[in-house]
Amino acid sequence: MLQRKSVDLIEAVSESKVVIEQLNRKRNSIEAWDELFEKAVQVADTVEEVPTMPRAAGRQRHRVNVPAETPSQYWKRAMFLPFLDHLIQELTRRLVSNEDRFSAQYLIPTKLNGINQEVINTLFETFRDDLDINNVAQFREEVERWIVRWDIAADPKPSTLSETLPVTNCDLYPNIYICLLILVTMPVTTATAERSFSVMRRVKTYVRSTMHTERLSSLSILHAYKHWEIDTEKVIDTFAVKKKRHIFVKESKYLSFIP
């Protein structure tokens, strides 16, 4: 769900809290670790390995030197608990800690029914330093006007940030525009950035090893957004007027030059 291009940030935060709680329960459960360690022992037994733990020393800086009496206790303290703590910390830092900023998603016209006084106050306090006003009452009036604007709109309501921003008048709704603009620059994951590496691998092959940056960037964009409709006539006109070009027409025994 987090790797989709149109991700629901509010739902992502809610599901992340579920995952965090599940990880915390596994961390505090003795049965969960015992079951996992037993599986590891069974796998090690297939290659004739027995559970052991590294030798501990009085002063050791480059290895995990946690106190333990058994291999199970050592690997739980040295690997299992730190790994779970890392997952919980990353989920909290990336999603849960930004929950208030993600509330700006309620400003999307198709999700305006989720706005209430509490959400408005949260948005104002979260984006206070970036807004052009210092009064929550003015911000509330702007949000109420924004809700009415889409209640009486005859056009289909935008359902994504990329559709909402172009139809948001920054002069009439300056603070809402700022909230949406900040939200659109906050990616939840690096999935979109990683897609560009996959595109580059397919575009920049060994045959195209001498490709320059501008051409590589243009081809990558065309490949990544190939589902977009392109006006061919507009592309031809832009290419034609970019600089003077010549046409060579092959005739019977020679090439005729036509400017």
Side-chain angles (χ1 to χ4, degrees):
M1 184 187 71
L2 293 178
Q3 292 182 350
R4 291 184 303 189
K5 294 182 180 179
S6 56
V7 60
D8 189 323
L9 298 176
I10 306 300
E11 185 179 359
V13 172
S14 177
E15 291 300 323
S16 296
K17 291 180 179 179
V18 175
V19 176
I20 291 173
E21 179 60 26
Q22 184 182 14
L23 293 177
N24 277 320
R25 291 184 181 184
K26 286 184 176 295
R27 189 186 190 282
N28 299 324
S29 173
I30 300 177
E31 292 78 9
W33 166 249
D34 290 341
E35 181 181 355
L36 183 61
F37 185 76
E38 183 62 29
K39 290 181 179 179
V41 171
Q42 293 175 3
V43 173
D45 186 60
T46 59
V47 292
E48 299 180 356
E49 287 288 339
V50 296
T52 59
M53 57 182 182
R55 180 179 59 85
R59 295 183 60 185
Q60 204 171 55
R61 299 180 179 178
H62 303 291
R63 289 193 299 177
V64 182
N65 193 24
V66 297
E69 297 178 357
T70 63
S72 175
Q73 194 178 73
Y74 173 83
W75 291 112
K76 180 179 181 180
R77 296 176 180 177
M79 183 183 64
F80 182 68
L81 295 181
F83 180 69
L84 288 183
D85 291 341
H86 174 73
L87 289 179
I88 294 172
Q89 182 181 2
E90 286 297 310
L91 286 172
T92 303
R93 183 178 63 85
R94 289 173 179 250
L95 293 173
V96 179
S97 61
N98 293 315
E99 182 177 6
D100 292 341
R101 286 183 174 269
F102 292 159
S103 299
Q105 183 172 281
Y106 286 124
L107 296 174
I108 297 177
T110 55
K111 300 180 181 180
L112 289 174
N113 56 353
I115 287 186
N116 50 40
Q117 296 299 326
E118 182 180 356
V119 173
I120 294 176
N121 294 335
T122 300
L123 288 175
F124 179 77
E125 294 298 329
T126 303
F127 296 97
R128 176 192 290 269
D129 296 335
D130 301 303
L131 301 180
D132 295 332
I133 55 177
N134 295 320
N135 189 347
V136 66
Q138 297 179 357
F139 182 71
R140 186 181 299 111
E141 290 178 359
E142 184 175 329
V143 173
E144 292 175 353
R145 186 156 41 90
W146 177 254
I147 295 174
V148 175
R149 182 250 187 273
W150 290 107
D151 284 342
I152 64 176
D155 300 333
K157 296 181 180 180
S159 58
T160 62
L161 281 172
S162 57
E163 295 175 355
T164 305
L165 272 175
V167 297
T168 305
N169 192 319
C170 58
D171 295 325
L172 297 176
Y173 307 97
N175 300 292
I176 291 178
Y177 185 82
I178 290 173
C179 293
L180 295 176
L181 195 63
I182 294 175
L183 183 62
V184 81
T185 60
M186 296 179 61
V188 180
T189 66
T190 59
T192 302
E194 290 171 358
R195 288 191 186 99
S196 63
F197 294 106
S198 301
V199 168
M200 186 175 65
R201 185 177 181 181
R202 292 190 292 267
V203 172
K204 193 178 187 304
T205 61
Y206 291 104
V207 181
R208 293 172 170 172
S209 59
T210 59
M211 189 185 307
H212 294 290
T213 304
E214 184 178 359
R215 180 176 177 84
L216 174 62
S217 177
S218 301
L219 289 176
S220 299
I221 291 175
L222 286 174
H223 183 74
Y225 300 98
K226 54 189 175 184
H227 59 281
W228 286 8
E229 296 183 1
I230 299 177
D231 189 347
T232 308
E233 295 296 331
K234 185 176 180 180
V235 173
I236 295 175
D237 293 340
T238 303
F239 183 76
V241 301
K242 197 170 183 180
K243 62 180 180 180
K244 293 183 178 180
R245 302 182 183 277
H246 300 88
I247 302 176
F248 291 89
V249 180
K250 185 176 182 181
E251 295 185 356
S252 57
K253 294 184 180 180
Y254 60 89
L255 293 175
S256 176
F257 175 74
I258 304 177

